[in-house]
Amino acid sequence: MNLLSFRGGIHPPHSKSMTEHLPVEKALEPETVVIPLQQHIGAPCQAIVEVGEKVKVGQKIGEAGGFVSAPVHSSVSGTVKKIEKRMIINGTGTCVVIESDGLNEIHESVVPKGDVETLEPKEILDIINEAGIVGMGGAGFPTRVKLSPPPDKKIDVLIVNGAECEPYLTADHRLMLETPEDVVYGLRAVMKVLGLEKAYIAIENNKMDAVLSVKEAAKEYPGIQVVTVKTKYPQGGEKQLIYACSQREVPSGALPMDAGAVVSNVATMSAISKAIRTGMPLIERICTVTGDGIVEPKNIMIKNGTRISEIVAQAGGYKGDPGKLILGGPMMGFAQFTDNLPSTKTTSGVLVFTEEQARLPEYNPCIRCGKCVDICPSFVQPFAISAYSLNGMFDMAEKYNAMDCIECGSCSFICPSKRPLLHSIRMAKREIISKRRKTK
């Protein structure tokens, strides 16, 4: 088989066997949800409900706060109890706390919006916008913005990311197996928005059952090509998928649209399909709860705003004392110090390591082996950027293209000296961004 791929990358253990064959279960109804008004990259939403107000499932509770923003909706019916700052995944943010009445009464605005064949491109874009759909692969970039490139940026490559290259996670895999028609329908809608006749759905070759499933769903649409990409991390990166499918390189410091490409996740396509066909905005998603620190790993359909502790409890709870809790995958996910946090539109996984697995190795001096350079999918020199960062020489780190780092963690994984390369590169990027903001 001629597999598409990119240059560089690593091969971490898949660790997907715990959940890859388990059908998605519907989560228990949460008694209370805590819905952050910022679940996306960009400006936070502004609450449009008040304490004491009755709300229904699918009702908009937060209006977008800027061009790069996406509205949020209630995932339950019930009463707004509080609107206050709470701890969220990346710090603190204003949240709407809703006590469920258990009735799941659907809001009047949730009605089918039409059919992809008859809707105009702008109408589809408006539906995507009103449904609060964001990139569900982890970044949370508002989809309406991604599908609205400037007039001078011609898009002729559209790729749907079904790679799911992060170890442990199987949420996208199960989605493609169980509801492939939603992925294809959403993709057809996006093709219409962008005015394209052709598109790719890229799936790694460790999910051949998903490849067959999606191919069957797409067989009536010759413009949709399901391609098998090599199982390699970070195969699901935007720039890596663009190269694998089109052999185009995104220039340093540029965006995919500068290479004429748009990449979006399979779960995002499914959310678009539901928004058009049922009118339901993005209020739930599939989440993989897994790891050796979980009693009964599984894939669960969770409502936005469900506490992580409740999600863990539905997977049997912790096995012993948890060593590390990560939201997302082990490579690009975010470690958390508490499980008293709400899930969001981008909570693709809840991963728990045992104490032994979580123990960090002691690191040694760099031996100049160059392995981090060989495997870097962004073609930067991690060892050099790290050294400059650790010495406070952030201008030099910038000259070595630190901002091109996609923070995949491949360099730290491959380093024989176990040096914390990614951590120091992230520090350099933060300092560079801070300096740029101050000089504006």
Side-chain angles (χ1 to χ4, degrees), residues 198-215:
K198 293 179 63 177
Y200 302 98
I201 301 176
I203 306 171
E204 282 189 338
N205 68 323
N206 63 351
K207 309 175 190 65
M208 290 308 297
D209 50 356
V211 172
L212 296 175
S213 172
V214 177
K215 276 187 174 178

Side-chain angles (χ1 to χ4, degrees), residues 348-396:
S348 57
V350 176
L351 173 61
V352 180
F353 285 150
T354 63
E355 287 187 288
E356 183 179 353
Q357 289 174 317
R359 194 172 298 126
L360 294 174
E362 292 195 8
Y363 63 88
N364 295 301
C366 174
I367 59 173
R368 304 273 176 175
C369 65
K371 287 187 175 180
C372 62
V373 179
D374 290 340
I375 58 83
C376 178
S378 298
F379 311 128
V380 298
Q381 299 180 37
F383 77 95
I385 298 172
S386 173
Y388 286 127
S389 177
L390 293 173
N391 285 284
M393 301 168 69
F394 302 116
D395 288 343
M396 286 300 295

Side-chain angles (χ1 to χ4, degrees), residues 288-420:
T288 303
V289 191
T290 187
D292 290 335
I294 289 289
V295 171
E296 189 183 356
K298 55 179 61 175
N299 297 296
I300 311 178
M301 181 70 79
I302 57 170
K303 289 191 168 183
N304 291 345
T306 305
R307 285 191 179 87
I308 302 301
S309 56
E310 293 179 39
I311 296 170
V312 171
Q314 292 181 54
Y318 296 113
K319 190 187 294 182
D321 293 329
K324 181 175 281 190
L325 168 67
I326 299 172
L327 299 187
M331 303 301 290
M332 297 188 75
F334 292 93
Q336 306 292 331
F337 73 92
T338 177
D339 58 10
N340 186 23
L341 298 167
S343 66
T344 70
K345 300 172 184 177
T346 61
T347 306
S348 57
V350 176
L351 173 61
V352 180
F353 285 150
T354 63
E355 287 187 288
E356 183 179 353
Q357 289 174 317
R359 194 172 298 126
L360 294 174
E362 292 195 8
Y363 63 88
N364 295 301
C366 174
I367 59 173
R368 304 273 176 175
C369 65
K371 287 187 175 180
C372 62
V373 179
D374 290 340
I375 58 83
C376 178
S378 298
F379 311 128
V380 298
Q381 299 180 37
F383 77 95
I385 298 172
S386 173
Y388 286 127
S389 177
L390 293 173
N391 285 284
M393 301 168 69
F394 302 116
D395 288 343
M396 286 300 295
E398 187 173 11
K399 287 183 179 177
Y400 272 72
N401 298 319
M403 296 306 294
D404 281 349
C405 170
I406 61 171
E407 304 185 19
C408 66
S410 297
C411 52
S412 293
F413 178 85
I414 204 73
C415 178
S417 294
K418 305 301 179 188
R419 295 188 63 75

Side-chain angles (χ1 to χ4, degrees), residues 146-375:
K146 180 175 281 192
L147 300 183
S148 307
D152 62 325
K153 304 293 183 185
K154 178 174 173 50
I155 304 297
D156 58 1
V157 174
L158 172 60
I159 304 168
V160 175
N161 179 8
E164 199 168 51
C165 60
E166 274 272 6
Y168 287 96
L169 302 188
T170 57
D172 287 351
H173 186 177
R174 294 309 309 180
L175 172 73
M176 291 186 285
L177 279 178
E178 297 179 31
T179 54
E181 64 281 358
D182 283 350
V183 176
V184 172
Y185 193 94
L187 173 54
R188 289 170 55 215
V190 173
M191 290 168 69
K192 192 163 187 178
V193 170
L194 294 174
L196 300 179
E197 298 294 327
K198 293 179 63 177
Y200 302 98
I201 301 176
I203 306 171
E204 282 189 338
N205 68 323
N206 63 351
K207 309 175 190 65
M208 290 308 297
D209 50 356
V211 172
L212 296 175
S213 172
V214 177
K215 276 187 174 178
E216 176 65 20
K219 65 182 181 183
E220 295 180 9
Y221 307 102
I224 297 176
Q225 184 179 355
V226 181
V227 296
T228 309
V229 292
K230 187 175 182 179
T231 300
K232 186 166 65 168
Y233 180 84
Q235 188 66 262
E238 284 189 329
K239 295 178 181 179
Q240 287 66 44
L241 271 184
I242 292 168
Y243 184 82
C245 295
S246 70
Q247 280 70 62
R248 295 184 190 176
E249 291 190 6
V250 180
S252 174
L255 298 170
M257 65 179 174
D258 294 304
V262 164
V263 180
S264 193
N265 182 264
V266 287
T268 308
M269 295 299 112
S270 178
I272 291 171
S273 171
K274 290 176 182 173
I276 295 173
R277 295 205 274 194
T278 70
M280 185 60 75
L282 179 49
I283 61 164
E284 62 181 8
R285 66 158 301 140
I286 302 173
C287 174
T288 303
V289 191
T290 187
D292 290 335
I294 289 289
V295 171
E296 189 183 356
K298 55 179 61 175
N299 297 296
I300 311 178
M301 181 70 79
I302 57 170
K303 289 191 168 183
N304 291 345
T306 305
R307 285 191 179 87
I308 302 301
S309 56
E310 293 179 39
I311 296 170
V312 171
Q314 292 181 54
Y318 296 113
K319 190 187 294 182
D321 293 329
K324 181 175 281 190
L325 168 67
I326 299 172
L327 299 187
M331 303 301 290
M332 297 188 75
F334 292 93
Q336 306 292 331
F337 73 92
T338 177
D339 58 10
N340 186 23
L341 298 167
S343 66
T344 70
K345 300 172 184 177
T346 61
T347 306
S348 57
V350 176
L351 173 61
V352 180
F353 285 150
T354 63
E355 287 187 288
E356 183 179 353
Q357 289 174 317
R359 194 172 298 126
L360 294 174
E362 292 195 8
Y363 63 88
N364 295 301
C366 174
I367 59 173
R368 304 273 176 175
C369 65
K371 287 187 175 180
C372 62
V373 179
D374 290 340
I375 58 83

